[in-house]
Structures are given as structure tokens and as C-alpha cells.
Amino acid sequence: MTNTIDPLLAHPGQELSANAETARTTLQGMWAVRLFEEAVDSLFARGLMHGTMHLSIGQEASAIGASAALRATDFITSTHRGHGHCIGKGADLTRMMAELLAKQTGYCRGRGGSMHIADAATGNLGANGIVAGGIPIAAGAALAQKMQGKDNVVMCFFGDGATNEGAFHEAVNLAAIWQLPVVFVCENNKYGMSFSTEKSMHVEHVADRAAAYGIPGVRVEGNDADAMYLVCQEAVDRARSGNGPTLVESVTYRWKGHSKSDKNLYRTKEEIEEWRAKDPIVQFENKVIERGVLTREDVDAIAAITRDKIRVAIQEATTAPDSDPAELLSSVFRAVQA
Amino acid sequence: MSNRIITYSEAIREAIGQAMEADPSVFMLGEDIGIYGGAFGVSGDLYHRFGAERIRDTPISELGIVGAAVGAALVGMKPIVEIQFSDFTAQAMDQIVNQAAKIHFMLGGELSVPMVLRAPLGSGTGAAAQHSQSLEAWFAHVPGLKVVMPATAQDAKGLLLSAIDDPNPVIVLEHKLLYKTSGPVTEDAVRTPIGVSHVAKHGKDAVVVATGVMVSRALEAAAILAEKGIDIAVIDVRTLSPLDMGPIEDAARATGRVLLVQEAPKHVGFMAEVSARLAEGRSLYYLDAPIKRLAGLDVPIPYAPQLERSVVPQIDNIVSAVEDLMREP
Ligand SMILES: Cc1ncc(C[n+]2csc(CCOP(=O)(O)OP(=O)(O)O)c2C)c(N)n1
Ligand SMILES: [Mg+2]
């Protein structure tokens, strides 16, 4: 039994909110991210979850809008703040929850936790605990698509902070000189932990950095799932048709602290409130209701169905067997075929 | 199956060529490996044989290159990365240590990284401290990496072929001084198994365990010692991770005297691990003398030839170390 969101539907060139089916899957995706993370936050607060995690609450439209531009055969690389990307690509919510709950049935058999969810079946090449660690990997996976004559695209997610790592610059340059089918999606939530983009960069926008590599750089309202989808769709098309990479800067904001240790000393309550008012889910719901695409009852039902999926994920994951130390030593290497 | 005498670098090139002919997913990437033929001439004419797609020149971006290899390996390619000097793996350590080594285990076992990273190591060329190190212990210390150090032309070919076949990341450390040395090499694509130590020479009085260029120095020392009536065995470790202690334990028991030789600085070096394993095992009871290590001095490799020679074990140092070992009660 799988427990996933419905595949994200989209019609190229059309806003996700313009059509009942695409609006429904988009909303379900965003709710799944929000509710999954709220559940995780609460499990953690109650001492039922171990370790650490990075929540993307407030950034749901960015992950889901971008993912809507992808095909099932496309690939992603993700980050420490990656639950949204994994869910958007079709990860099983129960296996994700099981991983966070340190269970044998989790995506990484309890060896990775929140920061390392990968899912070969859905083309998720892995979240990453190293800031910018996934960016060169995405370029390489895109190189492989090109060498293998496939028309798959790699979507590479990372934060604003990651664009100050050498890995970002080396990888974007490689993708540019080789015109690789990769879309670099920088989710600019204004901070790398406590350090704001105003302090960490001497250019105004992350998207400006694209000019250094001779590729298009596009800034988009990341809390608007429609805008996010349309910009990413264009970038995905460009990549798929052999015209190389794009740097998409998704302007968004995380409501919660960086991780569990955050006391929010570097930002104001007003700033957080300002962004809470730009709730990507509420915005999208209001828009589809105003457009007459879905009714209030429809959107409430979508939230309720998604809530059930998360409830099932917690139930199933909680009763799963704990991860097994007995197999650790034999799991470091893949066995060599004789 | 015929043998010819070819150089260590020709043997590596032949292995890459044969692997690329056999499997379209094998390709090479690195700095100046194309028309230039590689900083040490290893890729040579491969660019003309296989073209720019598969013998892929890269910008000077070690982290990016290794990361790209990891990504390509994750989705069905078999990349061989050449890093110009193994010292520059420092630029790429995140991708080697935090990504390639851990992906299979940390992500639950579905994905793996069949990548080969080749890099020249070692001193003796007057290239000074940033181009002459022996950093094998760095890699051997990381679970998830296999580490090999071919000491002969045949193993340069055979270990590389096994590394390319292997579904895990393999670090192949080639000694710069060996590139121009020659030896018999099978024309066929004969694999040297990874994870098997090799008895390079049998002997009854003492055993010298060595890696890389120290294997040939130990064999030359053996010839000198033979004239003095001392018959030593020489073990070529070949694979540092996973380590095969079998032949080392056997030789230790048979001879009762063990000298461990490495070029790298002694402190926390690879031979410290071999020494510890011997000391922890039952072989210890068979020893007639304490285990000895002969290693590089704990200094950066200096430039001047007389300085450079003085910091890493030479043939005469091995000869005297064995003689000292034989004098132990
Ligand atoms: C190489 C590296 N340096 C530092 C860290 C610690 N760290 C984890 S997340 C983070 C902030 C990353 O900021 P950003 O890329 O903007 O992503 P965000 O957390 O905002 O989503 C830091 C400093 C790390 N994991 N890896
Ligand atoms: Mg950030």
C-alpha cells in the first residue's frame, strides 16, 4: 500500500489555479507538505521524534509549483529543508514518516533521517545534509541524461545560503559550458541560518548570479504556486529541448526557525508576521475560489483528505519495526556481482 | 593470453580503453585529459579514439568534477575521474567523503555510486609539499570508499578494471614515479581482485609489508639483503580498504619479524593500522621481534632533491631497517 499525494497535474502555459484538476493536485501537494511538517513539529515537541529537522512551512508553493513542471522520469536533488521536494516528486508519506521515526521501513532504513530522504523510484536522488552538496550531483545526473540520449531533466533545489558555496559556482559553470538539462531552483528564504542575503551577497538578487555563467536568471514570487510553475515550466522546457540550464530564484520565507536550535534572534516578529500574511496555501485557496474553479467545500475537503493521509502515515510508521543494527556492517558497500 | 612489457601508464590507458570499448557507460572526466593527454600523459590518445564526449575535459573545478561524477554514477554511468595530483582531492573532499562514500549506506541502499577516482600520489619529482603527498590514509579512514594502490603495471591495469566494475566508489592512487616504469602486462582485460593482498616475494627471515612505490623498493632491498644472506618476504598490500590481513598474518607467523614500510608520514598512517591488527591478533605470539615501521618523516615534503630523499624511505633505509630487525634478540 502506498500513501502518496496524487501526481501533480499541470497544463503547460496555464496557471495551476485555472483548472479544477490542476488546482486540486496543487492544493493537495501544498497541504501535504504543511501537514506533514506540522505533524513532525508536534511529534518532536512531544519528545516522540529524535534528531533534528528543518521545516519548510511557508515555502510550500515553491516546492510544489516547481515539482508540477516535472515528469515522473525527471530527477531532483534536494536539501536539508527537503520534505516538500520529496513529497512533490511523489514520495510515500508513510515511508518518509517512518524514516523520521527511525524505523526499518523508512526510506533510508533509519540510517539517514530527515536530511537524507532519497527515492530511486520517483527520481529523487537525495536530500543532502551538506549545504550545496547536491548541486554538482545534479549537474552530473544531467550530464548523464545528455550522454545517454534521454530527454529527462534534473531539477536541483538549494537555498540562498548555498549560492555562497564554491560547489554552486563550479556546478553551475559546468552545467552552462556543457548546456546540461538542469534547472537550478534557489529557494531564497532570505536567510542561511541567521545570516541574511543582504549580508551574504554583494549583488542584489541571487538570480543576478546567473549572468556570471551566461545562463538565464529569473526571479519569481515563490509563494505563488502559479508563478512558480510557469517559470519552472519554461526553464524545464528550455532544459529538455537542449538549451541548457536556468537559475530560478524563488523568493519565499520560512515561518519556523532554521532548525530546532533557533531562537529567532536575527529577525523581527513583524517580518515573520508580514510573511505569514502571504501564506501560499491561503493565497492559492482564495484565488481558486474567487476564480470559481473550486468551492470552499472543495478546498476544505482537499485539506481533510490530506490530513487523513498524514494520520495514516503516522499510524503506519509508528507501528513499523525499529531500524535494525544487525545489518549495518554489511550495508556500507553494494555487493560486487561475481 | 599474451604478455608484453609496457609502462604503468600505458597499462592504465589500456584498461580505460578496454573498459570504454566494452561498456558505453564508462567515460572519463578531468582537467586536461583531452587533447593535452593528461598532466602525466596517462589518457594519451584516448581522446582521439573516443572523442570529446567520453574523454571529457573539464574546467579547473575539482569539487564540481567529482560531484558531477557522483551524479552521473547515480543514474547509470560509470565515470572515471582523473584528479591531476592527489593533493587536489582536498578541493573535492565533500563530494568524495560526504557524498560518494555515504550515499549507498545513508540513503538506505537503493542507490550506489559506481565511480572511480584516479589520482597520482607521492614524492620524488621535486614538486614540493602541495604536489607530493601520500594521502591514502585519509581515504582509507572513510567507510564507504575502497582504496587501491597499484604497485606494478599489471596491477595498474587489473585493479583499475576491477575498480570500474565495482558498484562502489573506488579511489585509485597511482604513484607518479611508477608511471614510466615497465613490466609484463596481459593484453586481455585481466582483473586484479580488490581486497586481496599479494605476496610479491616469499622469504623466511622477515617480512616487509609495503604499498605503492615502496613495494619495488622493498624488492630491490630484498635483492641486496639476499647477498647478505637475509631472505625476506615482501607483501604488496594493493588494497588498503577493504584490507586483507591474511597473507600478512601468514608471513608474520612464518618469519617472526615484521617491517611495515610506507612513504606517508608515520604518525597515524596506514601502517599503524596494519601494526595494530597484527598486535591485536594471535600472530603476535609468533613474533621474535617487535613490529617495526619505516615511514616518511612527519614533515611536509620539501623541494630540494637531497631534502626530499631524506624524508621518505629509500632502498638503503629498508636494508638497514631489516638488518636492525634481524639483530633484535
Ligand atoms: C557545508 C555546510 N556548511 C554549513 C552547514 C550548516 N547549515 C545547515 S543549513 C544551513 C543554512 C543554509 O542556508 P540556505 O542554503 O539558505 O538554506 P535554508 O536553510 O535557508 O533553506 C547551514 C549553515 C551545513 N550543513 N553544510
Ligand atoms: Mg535560506
Side-chain angles (χ1 to χ4, degrees):
Chain A
M1 271 287 283
T2 55
N3 181 19
T4 64
I5 58 166
D6 298 327
L8 298 171
L9 299 176
H11 299 302
Q14 207 182 82
E15 291 189 330
L16 298 168
S17 64
N19 164 292
E21 272 311 295
T22 58
R24 194 182 62 75
T25 57
T26 304
L27 252 187
Q28 188 187 72
M30 291 196 289
W31 271 121
V33 181
R34 171 80 49 97
L35 296 170
F36 181 89
E37 292 197 337
E38 282 180 355
V40 162
D41 203 22
S42 136
L43 286 165
F44 195 90
R46 288 186 284 146
L48 299 173
M49 195 171 270
H50 154 90
T52 188
M53 77 270 312
H54 307 83
L55 302 177
S56 64
I57 293 175
Q59 304 185 182
E60 297 88 347
S62 180
I64 297 300
S67 304
L70 297 176
R71 294 180 183 163
T73 51
D74 290 334
F75 294 94
I76 63 163
T77 62
S78 174
T79 71
H80 57 286
R81 204 174 302 288
H83 302 140
H85 314 138
C86 298
I87 292 173
K89 199 69 182 66
D92 187 288
L93 300 165
T94 298
R95 286 187 71 192
M96 283 180 69
M97 192 62 81
E99 184 58 32
L100 271 67
L101 287 169
K103 300 295 186 167
Q104 184 69 14
T105 54
Y107 268 110
C108 318
R109 298 164 169 260
R111 297 181 210 145
S114 164
M115 280 192 286
H116 298 297
I117 291 174
D119 183 13
T122 61
N124 175 358
L125 298 177
N128 213 304
I130 302 294
V131 170
I135 309 178
I137 294 176
L143 172 62
Q145 302 315 304
K146 195 169 173 173
M147 293 183 77
Q148 293 165 351
K150 295 180 179 160
D151 73 346
N152 299 322
V153 165
V154 183
M155 185 171 272
C156 172
F157 292 101
F158 51 89
D160 48 282
T163 70
N164 299 313
E165 286 280 8
F168 165 81
H169 297 274
E170 293 191 18
V172 175
N173 186 53
L174 287 182
I177 61 168
W178 292 335
Q179 288 290 287
L180 299 179
V182 54
V183 179
F184 296 107
V185 180
C186 175
E187 300 188 299
N188 178 358
N189 57 12
K190 200 175 161 188
Y191 297 96
M193 264 177 97
S194 66
F195 209 55
S196 74
T197 49
E198 284 139 24
K199 294 176 182 161
S200 70
M201 311 189 306
H202 201 60
V203 288
E204 207 178 339
H205 303 308
V206 171
D208 298 343
R209 294 188 153 173
Y213 308 100
I215 65 168
V218 192
R219 211 169 127 81
V220 52
E221 177 55 70
N223 280 18
D224 177 350
D226 282 331
M228 196 64 200
Y229 165 70
L230 289 174
V231 164
C232 288
Q233 179 63 61
E234 205 178 311
V236 165
D237 283 348
R238 182 176 299 127
R240 209 184 299 286
S241 56
N243 293 312
T246 304
L247 174 60
V248 175
E249 176 185 359
S250 157
V251 181
T252 184
Y253 198 80
R254 62 169 158 73
W255 296 3
K256 298 277 179 174
H258 163 74
S259 69
K260 290 299 153 190
S261 61
D262 192 344
K263 299 186 196 70
N264 277 327
L265 300 174
Y266 52 88
R267 56 181 185 174
T268 61
K269 281 205 176 58
E270 292 71 31
E271 183 180 278
I272 300 174
E273 282 316 313
E274 202 181 296
W275 278 91
R276 276 178 171 274
K278 296 191 235 176
D279 184 331
I281 299 184
V282 171
Q283 275 189 60
F284 194 82
E285 286 186 342
N286 290 342
K287 191 165 168 186
V288 291
I289 293 168
E290 269 166 37
R291 286 183 116 168
V293 171
L294 296 175
T295 64
R296 171 58 59 194
E297 292 71 42
D298 292 334
V299 304
D300 289 347
I302 292 165
I305 289 167
T306 315
R307 201 176 295 279
D308 279 342
K309 286 182 189 283
I310 301 301
R311 202 173 287 133
V312 168
I314 296 170
Q315 264 163 15
E316 290 180 344
T318 308
T319 55
D322 287 341
S323 46
D324 182 6
E327 64 176 25
L328 288 180
L329 273 176
S330 59
S331 305
V332 176
F333 293 110
R334 172 161 287 177
V336 179
Q337 302 294 324
Chain B
M1 177 157 70
S2 66
N3 273 5
R4 312 117 309 148
I5 304 292
I6 59 173
T7 66
Y8 186 90
S9 40
E10 286 165 345
I12 296 165
R13 179 154 65 250
E14 188 168 274
I16 297 171
Q18 288 177 345
M20 287 184 59
E21 272 166 11
D23 181 350
S25 66
V26 178
F27 74 106
M28 202 179 158
L29 72 171
E31 294 157 15
D32 310 297
I33 61 168
I35 195 95
Y36 193 96
F40 286 88
V42 173
S43 50
D45 65 347
L46 290 174
Y47 175 80
H48 297 290
R49 287 177 56 200
F50 294 100
E53 270 283 296
R54 294 180 73 197
I55 302 295
R56 184 170 287 264
D57 268 324
T58 67
I60 306 159
S61 303
E62 289 79 9
L63 178 61
I65 301 165
V66 178
V70 173
L74 280 174
V75 295
M77 300 298 286
K78 289 185 148 275
I80 305 169
V81 182
E82 175 174 301
I83 297 292
Q84 281 190 337
F85 286 78
S86 63
D87 313 69
F88 312 157
T89 58
Q91 316 308 111
M93 267 312 188
D94 174 52
Q95 288 294 331
I96 300 170
V97 172
N98 291 322
Q99 313 294 340
K102 297 185 173 44
I103 283 175
H104 179 68
F105 176 91
M106 177 177 76
L107 305 188
E110 278 184 49
L111 295 166
S112 70
V113 184
M115 170 187 95
V116 176
L117 188 152
R118 299 178 34 247
L121 95 173
S123 64
T125 64
Q130 296 170 334
H131 291 72
S132 302
Q133 293 168 92
S134 297
L135 299 171
E136 66 275 11
W138 283 9
F139 303 107
H141 194 60
V142 178
L145 297 177
K146 297 190 180 182
V147 184
V148 302
M149 282 175 74
T152 64
Q154 177 69 65
D155 283 346
K157 178 172 179 180
L159 284 169
L160 181 54
L161 286 166
S162 291
I164 296 168
D165 290 345
D166 203 289
N168 302 286
V170 182
I171 310 294
V172 182
L173 297 168
E174 300 158 357
H175 202 290
K176 298 175 191 95
L177 295 182
L178 294 177
Y179 280 135
K180 290 203 170 76
T181 64
S182 317
V185 176
T186 53
E187 255 174 56
D188 292 348
V190 176
R191 270 78 178 157
T192 304
I194 291 176
V196 181
S197 296
H198 172 66
V199 183
K201 178 186 175 303
H202 289 279
K204 61 180 190 345
D205 296 328
V207 56
V208 173
V209 181
T211 51
V213 76
M214 292 300 148
V215 174
S216 49
R217 287 187 192 166
L219 289 169
E220 291 192 50
I224 296 168
L225 288 160
E227 284 169 22
K228 303 179 180 211
I230 302 170
D231 178 23
I232 65 165
V234 176
I235 308 272
D236 172 2
V237 178
R238 281 198 312 209
T239 303
L240 285 70
S241 277
L243 174 59
D244 170 22
M245 283 296 292
I248 302 172
E249 301 266 2
D250 291 347
R253 290 177 186 216
T255 63
R257 293 170 198 268
V258 180
L259 176 69
L260 308 172
V261 185
Q262 71 183 24
E263 175 172 352
K266 183 186 268 185
H267 184 64
V268 202
F270 172 74
M271 288 303 174
E273 175 65 24
V274 177
S275 172
R277 295 223 198 168
L278 283 170
E280 284 168 350
R282 305 235 145 233
S283 299
L284 188 66
Y285 299 130
Y286 295 76
L287 297 186
D288 300 321
I291 301 162
K292 294 283 185 204
R293 282 182 293 159
L294 176 65
L297 297 185
D298 292 315
V299 299
I301 300 290
Y303 161 69
Q306 66 279 17
L307 299 181
E308 188 180 27
R309 255 197 317 276
S310 73
V311 303
V312 299
Q314 305 297 326
I315 296 166
D316 52 343
N317 303 127
I318 301 175
V319 170
S320 349
V322 171
E323 287 174 327
D324 289 348
L325 188 63
M326 295 311 297
R327 278 194 285 271
E328 291 280 341

